[in-house]
């Protein structure tokens, strides 16, 4: 029996091994239907650019809209993998996705927010604090993101950099870390005309990047640039919940100033004995006087932990870092693919690639 809404001519999707089952309407992608019905499918950009929603199709047929080959290669497609954000079922479908959890999905809502603070953290990173409507708290998992709905309907995604429990502290609101991309529609505004008290519209929470608390595996946190934002939220959440699994953050930037909350991180180390921190800089110049680790941040993890088979990895930031980490950790260090959780910060430029 189809579970799709009676109005649609849709099919049903079953996700193994969880057995979660949901209907897809005729005009929906599998992912859109899953999000609508609170199924915890993994995903990131929702636009065929990042590959986070890739999963194996065990049976059934789908049609797939255009997508980036780095998100899903022709070989993977031949091997039966699909991107749920681009797929429309043409029969009932069974998928394999080991990351699907029972974790409650919070309702996705649109709401107005007011910019309550704009604080520059470095030459190209702005901390934006947003006041939520009074008496109407946003529920989310630490690590999830919200979308701004811009004039004309364009959307831009930003990870929340604080954990949900902090919203009960007066005046906190949600915190975002926004890197300027010159020529970018939204970030040119943030670094240009945006003023405190401006009203914006957001929708959320979105995303499958949050701590899997049913595991006791040691954790590798990997951040490049503002990829630190959702990882900061995870660390705040771990501290609040007294989660003491061993965890290590590798945070990479081109120059030391890109590690714009280095001081905040060092303060957390004093409070969380099982947390370690390895800052990594790829393009230090002599006047930086950098004496710490250098090179690609994702490779620093492999230099220190060549066997990741017993770990969970949470990676965020530049797509090239996230993609390289996903590939190298699975291929070289034995990380089970389903233990890699990521949000790649894809942009319009990434989506415009063939
Ligand atoms: C899940 C998720 C979470 C994210 N979280 C964060 C976060 O916490 N912090 C953060 O800083 N970013 C984050 N991002 C990235 C963010 O959503 C934006 O993509 C980014 O800030 C750029 O937005 P923009 O409107 O300024 O630039 P855009 O208008 O998207 O342009 C980006 C760049 O591409 C160029 N460009 C635009 N269109 C094209 C085109 N058609 N062809 C070629 N080049 C083009 C522009 O000149 C600019 O340099 C996240 C992305 C995702 C998917």
């Amino acid at each position: 029996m189809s579970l799709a809404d009676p109005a649609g001519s849709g099919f049903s999707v079953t996700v193994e091994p969880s057995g979660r089952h949901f209907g897809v309407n005729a005009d929906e992608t599998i992912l859109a239907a899953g999000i609508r019905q609170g199924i915890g499918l993994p995903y990131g950009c929702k636009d065929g650019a990042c590959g986070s929603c890739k999963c194996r199709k065990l049976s059934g047929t789908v049609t797939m809209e255009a997508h980036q080959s780095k998100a899903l290669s022709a070989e993977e497609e031949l091997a039966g993998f699909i991107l749920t954000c681009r797929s429309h079922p043409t029969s009932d479908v069974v998928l394999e996705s080991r990351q699907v959890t029972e974790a409650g999905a919070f309702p996705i809502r649109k709401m107005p927010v007011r910019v309550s603070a704009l604080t520059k953290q470095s030459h190209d990173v702005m901390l934006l604090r947003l006041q939520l409507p009074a008496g109407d708290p946003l529920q989310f998992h630490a690590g999830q993101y919200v979308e701004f709905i811009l004039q004309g309907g364009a959307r831009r995604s930003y990870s929340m950099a604080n954990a949900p429990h902090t919203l009960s502290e007066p005046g906190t609101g949600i915190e975002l870390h926004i890197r300027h991309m010159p020529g970018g529609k939204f970030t040119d505004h943030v670094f240009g005309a945006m003023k405190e008290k401006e009203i914006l519209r957001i929708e959320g929470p979105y995303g499958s990047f949050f701590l899997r608390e049913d595991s006791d595996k040691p954790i590798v946190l990997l951040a490049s640039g503002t990829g630190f934002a959702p990882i900061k939220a995870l660390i705040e959440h771990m501290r609040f919940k007294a989660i003491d699994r061993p965890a290590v953050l590798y945070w990479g930037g081109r120059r030391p100033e890109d590690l714009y909350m280095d001081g905040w991180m060092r303060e957390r180390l004093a409070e969380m004995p099982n947390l370690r921190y390895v800052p990594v800089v790829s393009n230090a110049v002599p006047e930086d006087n950098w004496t710490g680790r250098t090179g690609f941040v994702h490779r620093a993890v492999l230099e220190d932990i060549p066997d990741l088979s017993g770990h969970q990895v949470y990676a965020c930031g530049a797509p090239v870092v996230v993609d390289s980490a996903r590939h190298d950790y699975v291929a070289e260090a034995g990380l089970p693919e389903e233990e890699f959780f990521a949000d790649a910060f894809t942009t319009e430029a990434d989506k415009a690639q063939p």
Side-chain angles (χ1 to χ4, degrees):
M1 188 185 73
S2 172
L3 288 180
D5 289 350
S9 56
F11 296 101
S12 76
V13 173
T14 306
V15 189
E16 300 294 6
S18 64
R20 297 204 74 177
H21 194 54
F22 60 101
V24 184
N25 290 331
D27 57 349
E28 276 181 317
T29 62
I30 292 177
L31 179 63
I35 292 174
R36 175 172 60 79
Q37 291 162 92
I39 310 293
L41 290 170
Y43 67 96
C45 71
K46 300 195 259 106
D47 244 327
C50 77
S52 291
C53 69
K54 179 164 49 195
C55 58
R56 190 190 291 276
K57 179 165 61 61
L58 300 176
S59 69
T61 51
V62 301
T63 54
M64 225 178 334
E65 294 169 41
H67 56 81
Q68 306 251 317
S69 56
K70 72 174 172 55
L72 182 74
S73 67
E75 292 76 38
E76 288 171 321
E77 217 172 321
L78 271 174
F81 287 89
I82 64 164
L83 297 178
T84 59
C85 75
R86 300 271 102 184
S87 294
H88 300 268
T90 50
S91 74
D92 287 348
V93 169
V94 180
L95 302 177
E96 181 186 56
S97 179
R98 294 184 177 275
Q99 289 192 355
V100 169
T101 65
E102 287 299 327
F106 292 118
I108 293 167
R109 300 162 49 211
K110 285 195 181 82
M111 60 179 76
V113 291
R114 185 194 302 271
V115 176
S116 59
L118 279 162
T119 322
K120 247 183 154 179
Q121 301 292 303
S122 75
H123 75 285
D124 69 349
V125 175
M126 188 75 85
L127 189 152
L128 199 64
R129 208 169 275 288
L130 302 174
Q131 186 190 332
L132 299 167
D136 192 12
L138 179 70
Q139 291 179 288
F140 61 99
H141 294 292
Q144 288 192 291
Y145 68 92
V146 290
E147 289 181 350
F148 285 107
I149 306 170
L150 309 182
Q151 270 177 9
R155 287 171 176 248
R156 294 292 184 270
S157 310
Y158 295 94
S159 305
M160 288 171 278
N162 51 336
H165 73 272
T166 63
L167 293 189
S168 60
E169 295 159 16
T172 301
I174 52 176
E175 174 184 325
L176 308 176
H177 300 171
I178 299 186
R179 187 167 79 84
H180 189 198
M181 298 202 71
K185 190 179 174 99
F186 184 65
T187 62
D188 269 1
H189 176 63
V190 171
F191 283 78
M194 182 176 273
K195 298 270 183 311
E196 287 178 10
K197 297 198 168 70
E198 180 171 325
I199 305 283
L200 297 156
R201 282 189 75 71
I202 61 166
E203 185 172 80
Y206 281 114
S208 52
F209 186 80
F210 51 83
L211 190 69
R212 300 319 195 254
E213 294 181 40
D214 55 355
S215 168
D216 57 4
K217 291 185 174 182
I219 299 167
V220 173
L221 304 166
L222 175 70
S224 84
T226 48
F228 175 68
I231 291 201
K232 171 176 176 283
L234 292 192
I235 291 172
E236 285 185 357
H237 177 73
M238 288 174 68
R239 177 166 175 259
F240 179 66
K241 289 288 201 84
I243 294 170
D244 60 359
R245 288 160 63 185
V248 53
L249 166 64
Y250 287 79
W251 186 9
R254 290 171 55 79
R255 304 273 303 274
E257 70 158 340
D258 294 329
L259 311 179
Y260 53 86
M261 281 198 170
D262 183 77
W264 183 94
M265 251 326 282
R266 290 179 194 280
E267 284 167 23
R268 298 293 80 71
L269 298 181
E271 300 164 350
M272 300 173 71
N274 288 347
L275 178 66
R276 290 192 306 116
Y277 170 43
V278 183
V280 183
V281 167
S282 61
N283 294 67
V285 298
E287 62 260 35
D288 290 333
N289 295 317
W290 179 253
T291 53
R293 296 285 287 273
T294 53
F296 291 142
V297 62
H298 82 284
R299 294 301 304 180
V301 173
L302 288 176
E303 285 160 17
D304 295 351
I305 319 176
D307 179 0
L308 286 167
S309 58
H311 284 69
Q312 276 189 335
V313 175
Y314 294 83
C316 253
V320 63
V321 175
V322 171
D323 294 345
S324 308
R326 187 195 309 268
H327 177 270
D328 294 357
Y329 296 174
V330 173
E332 293 178 32
L335 179 75
E337 202 154 0
E338 65 271 17
E339 300 289 18
F340 186 86
F341 304 93
D343 261 347
F345 288 180
T346 48
T347 67
E348 290 307 298
D350 297 307
K351 292 174 194 169
Q353 282 172 19

